[in-house]
Amino acid sequence: MNIQDIKFSKNHNAEFYKVLRQRVSEYFKTNNISRHANLGMVLKTIFMVALYLVPLVLMLTIDLGTGYVLGLWALMGMGMAGIGLAVMHDANHGAYSRNKTTNKLLGYLLNMVGGSDINWRIQHNVLHHTYTNVDGMDEDIDPGKVMRFSPHKPRLKMHKYQHIYAWGLYGLMSLMWIMVKDYKQIVRYKKKDLIKTQGVKFSTALIGIIVTKVVYMFAIFGLPLLLTDIPLYIIIIGFLLMHYIAGLSLAMIFQPAHCVPTSDYPLPDDSGNIMADWAVSQLYNTANFAPKAKLLSWYVGGLNFQVEHHLFPNICHVHYKHLAKIVESTATEYNLPYNSFPTFGGALKEHTKMLYNLGNFDKAPAIH
């Protein structure tokens, strides 16, 4: 089924999102504040970029022992995840600034850490946000045969242990993305005619991916080899450590938001219709966690308020904690779910439970 064939119902609880949008708009109007970044967001941006770049500069300019060098690589991994979660994510959603150029430049930070902003916007903005947990459309629940994230996918024998080995594979996520996935994605998106959603040609997108990855690899490997006495094997270990920390961090934030027992995993009928309003489908397939964990929320770009993010991806994450009360009360008013796990550990436990269910049952048990 093609992407243009999928349609959400306009006759099932459509009033909910209309009312919610009015209330959210009233919140910004009443408080006379912008939907975009504030000073705190700007300072966070500087911090995250510095957390990634400063360790690299120190590595290139100061003669340090192996332990310190690996520590710097670890900090770069935290900076990489921080840039992805708290900076480029808002920018590529157009939520950071009302200025499109500012969003484009900050969104390009993804390329600085080895990714592709074009591929990311297609996979995340176009597919994941529109068709959240819809089998065959949302690539976030289609990691290949090695993992089963959807009850509609075939269950293999090895999936019985996926709740155990998943945590090792998650750390490889960003590494596989920069080494293999970006190239496969751009070809796949060309075949699906999705590249046009970004206003670029396939050749331009492909050349951009190749050039930015060559520059990235030179900065990460070439500069340390040329300017320092750090052994190649230490650079390789540090590089893998950086990506493992970043990949695991990203997975631990995004997976508990969608692959949990509360998720609905809607299936379109033969005509491509999903029997739910788009916003209502987001409520059924998204979950918050640790809403009171201020430091965690700051670092992960407010993505512990995943429900608010999915309903209002064009609003900067610094506002999510304030919008949460509005969203929850409106959902309750319309007798709709508002899934939220009190703690981060609890959310990870629920995700692990879902991995176990999906690996051991053909149809994973759900709570509704």
Side-chain angles (χ1 to χ4, degrees):
M1 190 171 291
N2 297 321
I3 188 172
Q4 59 268 22
D5 297 325
I6 305 297
K7 298 178 179 62
F8 289 90
S9 173
K10 296 182 179 179
N11 301 316
H12 290 76
N13 289 315
E15 189 69 18
F16 159 74
Y17 195 45
K18 179 180 178 181
V19 171
L20 179 61
R21 290 176 63 183
Q22 290 174 343
R23 291 175 179 176
V24 168
S25 295
E26 186 63 28
Y27 165 80
F28 285 105
K29 182 178 180 180
T30 300
N31 292 281
N32 193 29
I33 54 177
S34 168
R35 294 169 172 251
H36 302 290
N38 54 20
L39 178 59
M41 181 64 178
V42 174
L43 294 175
K44 182 192 295 191
T45 301
I46 295 171
F47 176 86
M48 293 301 183
V49 173
L51 187 58
Y52 179 71
L53 291 180
V54 170
L56 178 61
V57 173
L58 292 176
M59 199 185 309
L60 296 176
T61 56
I62 301 177
D63 187 14
L64 298 168
T66 299
Y68 289 105
V69 169
L70 293 179
L72 291 175
W73 280 106
L75 287 176
M76 289 180 67
M78 295 179 64
M80 179 187 293
I83 288 172
L85 293 166
V87 184
M88 81 84 194
H89 187 262
D90 282 75
N92 277 314
H93 272 296
Y96 193 104
S97 170
R98 66 180 62 191
N99 186 294
K100 293 183 178 180
T101 301
T102 299
N103 287 324
K104 184 175 182 180
L105 290 175
L106 291 174
Y108 205 71
L109 286 173
L110 178 59
N111 300 61
M112 186 182 75
V113 297
S116 166
D117 62 318
I118 293 174
N119 277 344
W120 190 89
R121 284 194 297 271
I122 295 174
Q123 175 177 336
H124 190 76
N125 294 7
V126 178
L127 298 177
H128 172 64
H129 267 265
T130 308
Y131 308 103
T132 307
N133 281 14
V134 177
D135 197 61
M137 296 294 156
D138 185 358
E139 293 187 353
D140 284 18
I141 59 169
D142 188 15
K145 293 183 178 180
V146 70
M147 298 284 290
R148 185 178 188 239
F149 284 167
S150 167
H152 308 306
K153 292 292 185 182
R155 182 170 62 89
L156 306 179
K157 289 184 178 180
M158 63 179 173
H159 294 151
K160 183 177 181 179
Y161 306 102
Q162 69 174 3
H163 62 290
I164 299 172
Y165 65 72
W167 306 101
L169 294 180
Y170 285 160
L172 303 177
M173 182 175 67
S174 66
L175 183 64
M176 293 302 297
W177 206 310
I178 71 165
M179 301 297 288
V180 179
K181 188 175 179 179
D182 272 330
Y183 297 106
K184 289 185 175 181
Q185 276 190 323
I186 200 67
V187 173
R188 182 166 67 251
Y189 293 156
K190 178 180 184 295
K191 292 179 180 179
K192 291 185 176 183
D193 200 27
L194 290 172
I195 297 179
K196 67 180 183 181
T197 63
Q198 304 306 305
V200 298
K201 296 180 179 179
F202 170 73
S203 57
T204 303
L206 180 60
I207 292 172
I209 289 174
I210 294 173
V211 170
T212 55
K213 289 189 188 298
V214 168
V215 173
Y216 169 75
M217 296 303 286
F218 175 75
I220 293 296
F221 280 102
L223 291 181
L225 285 173
L226 290 173
L227 303 178
T228 75
D229 294 325
I230 301 173
L232 176 60
Y233 78 93
I234 294 297
I235 295 174
I236 293 174
I237 293 173
F239 175 77
L240 295 176
L241 176 63
M242 174 184 71
H243 273 283
Y244 191 86
I245 289 173
L248 182 61
S249 298
L250 293 170
M252 289 173 68
I253 298 305
F254 284 110
Q255 294 301 344
H258 301 290
C259 187
V260 286
T262 56
S263 297
D264 195 55
Y265 296 96
L267 272 180
D269 61 23
D270 293 338
S271 299
N273 298 312
I274 294 177
M275 300 307 292
D277 175 70
W278 171 81
V280 172
S281 183
Q282 299 302 311
L283 290 178
Y284 274 106
N285 290 285
T286 310
N288 289 353
F289 55 86
K292 296 182 180 180
K294 294 182 179 180
L295 181 59
L296 173 72
S297 187
W298 179 87
Y299 177 70
V300 304
L303 293 178
N304 55 321
F305 292 98
Q306 194 76 203
V307 173
E308 286 68 32
H309 171 60
H310 266 255
L311 291 172
F312 299 99
N314 61 340
I315 294 178
C316 185
H317 75 259
V318 296
H319 305 293
Y320 292 162
K321 64 180 179 180
H322 302 293
L323 300 183
K325 293 181 180 179
I326 301 174
V327 175
E328 182 176 13
S329 63
T330 307
T332 301
E333 180 181 332
Y334 281 84
N335 197 29
L336 294 170
Y338 183 83
N339 301 310
S340 182
F341 303 112
T343 66
F344 184 36
L348 292 176
K349 182 179 179 180
E350 290 300 309
H351 172 58
T352 304
K353 182 190 300 183
M354 190 62 175
L355 289 178
Y356 177 85
N357 289 342
L358 288 168
N360 288 272
F361 303 98
D362 287 332
K363 185 175 182 180
I367 67 170
H368 62 257

